[in-house]
């Protein structure tokens, strides 16, 4: 009789965490920045159909990096959760905190019980009546939740980009300043050979607190170009990078399934 193969719980959790982190690192980064009238989301995404930033409810948005099919399932589940709660109780009872807790339970359960963890990292954000009421929650593949203050970066070069963003972000930015900062950070390279991303390469959306009910809106390329104060810039080529796609990474929607 053969003895069953034994792996310690610590090693099993470490292997799962390493697997999930590698999958997330292959995706393009998402930058979330608070500004005076709301919260802005920016990511490099040439696809006009497969979104990484989406509306969940009236004043709540969702952003994700990792495997598209996995975070899209989570987005749909979040929309259903919000709709059911708003219908059963009141629209004001739907909050980013409750949604983040629901996502955390799902991610944590999959991480500990399933053979493969979800290769995703999420941000759930809610815009309040004032800047002090804004909520931004970052959720990791293992279900851990962090309350972000003012800005957050997820994805491939999150640590490097977060450091760069933290040096330049300040409370009270205008929308143009916030979008310009987010786009500049997305084009940052560790070796200093920064790239300039054209508006058509970007997916940008905002939660605008000045809108009466549904705060979420997307910024089309012409609006984005106007905010950035430039025409549609041709994609830059630097350090073996074209259209911001790193070596070995498939664009969103192609077979690799990473976003």
């Amino acid at each position: 009789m053969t003895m069953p193969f034994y792996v310690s719980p610590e090693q099993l959790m470490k292997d799962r965490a390493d697997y999930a982190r590698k999958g997330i690192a292959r995706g393009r980064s998402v930058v979330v920045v608070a500004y005076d009238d709301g919260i802005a989301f920016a990511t490099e995404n040439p696809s006009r159909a497969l979104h990484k930033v989406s509306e969940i409810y009236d004043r709540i948005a969702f952003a994700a990096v990792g495997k598209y099919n996995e975070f899209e399932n989570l987005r749909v589940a979040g929309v259903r959760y919000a709709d059911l709660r708003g219908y059963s109780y009141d629209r004001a009872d739907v909050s980013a905190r409750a949604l983040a807790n629901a996502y955390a339970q799902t991610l944590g359960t999959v991480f500990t019980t399933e053979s493969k963890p979800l290769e995703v990292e999420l941000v759930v954000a809610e815009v309040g009546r004032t800047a002090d009421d804004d909520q931004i929650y970052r959720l990791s593949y293992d279900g851990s939740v962090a309350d972000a203050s003012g800005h957050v970066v997820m994805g491939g070069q999150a640590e490097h980009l977060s450091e760069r963003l933290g040096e330049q972000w300040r409370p009270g930015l205008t929308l143009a300043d916030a979008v310009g900062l987010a786009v500049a950070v997305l084009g940052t390279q560790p070796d200093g050979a920064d790239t300039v991303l054209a508006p058509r390469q970007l997916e940008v959306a905002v939660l605008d607190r000045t809108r009466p009910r549904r705060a979420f809106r997307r910024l089309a390329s012409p609006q984005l170009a106007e905010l950035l104060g430039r025409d549609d810039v041709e994609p830059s080529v630097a350090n073996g990078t074209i259209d911001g796609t790193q070596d070995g990474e498939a664009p969103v929607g192609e077979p690799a399934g990473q976003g």
Side-chain angles (χ1 to χ4, degrees), residues 199-200 219-233:
R200 64 176 176 273
L219 302 182
S221 293
Q223 296 173 289
L224 189 53
E226 184 178 352
L227 280 174
L228 296 174
R230 55 186 168 88
D231 295 329
D232 197 355
V233 180

Side-chain angles (χ1 to χ4, degrees), residues 37 39 55-61 94 96 125-130 207-216:
D37 284 332
I39 303 171
E55 180 184 28
I56 293 289
Y57 211 59
D58 293 347
R59 307 181 73 80
I60 301 174
V94 182
E126 179 179 1
V127 67
R129 299 301 176 185
T130 66
L207 285 173
D208 185 350
R209 79 175 86 256
T210 63
R211 291 166 67 90
R213 179 172 166 182
R214 295 181 63 179
F216 184 87

Side-chain angles (χ1 to χ4, degrees), residues 132-155:
D132 292 337
D133 297 328
D134 291 347
Q135 300 176 41
I136 304 174
Y137 299 101
R138 179 179 181 177
L139 294 99
S140 298
Y141 52 83
D142 60 355
S144 59
V145 184
D147 181 9
S149 178
H151 57 84
V152 65
V153 182
M154 305 181 295

Side-chain angles (χ1 to χ4, degrees), residues 9-29:
E10 293 85 356
Q11 184 62 44
L12 182 62
M13 293 297 105
K14 181 180 182 300
D15 290 344
R16 288 179 178 176
D18 290 342
Y19 178 87
R21 279 195 293 265
K22 288 178 181 177
I24 293 168
R26 288 193 292 269
R28 297 179 177 90
S29 296

Side-chain angles (χ1 to χ4, degrees), residues 97-162:
R97 180 183 305 172
L99 184 60
N101 287 335
Y103 278 141
Q105 292 177 25
T106 299
L107 291 168
T109 299
V110 172
F111 183 77
T112 55
T113 62
E114 301 295 331
S115 58
K116 186 191 86 68
L118 296 178
E119 300 170 61
V120 298
E121 197 168 3
L122 313 177
V123 160
V124 177
E126 179 179 1
V127 67
R129 299 301 176 185
T130 66
D132 292 337
D133 297 328
D134 291 347
Q135 300 176 41
I136 304 174
Y137 299 101
R138 179 179 181 177
L139 294 99
S140 298
Y141 52 83
D142 60 355
S144 59
V145 184
D147 181 9
S149 178
H151 57 84
V152 65
V153 182
M154 305 181 295
Q157 303 174 19
E159 185 174 347
H160 172 70
L161 299 185
S162 182

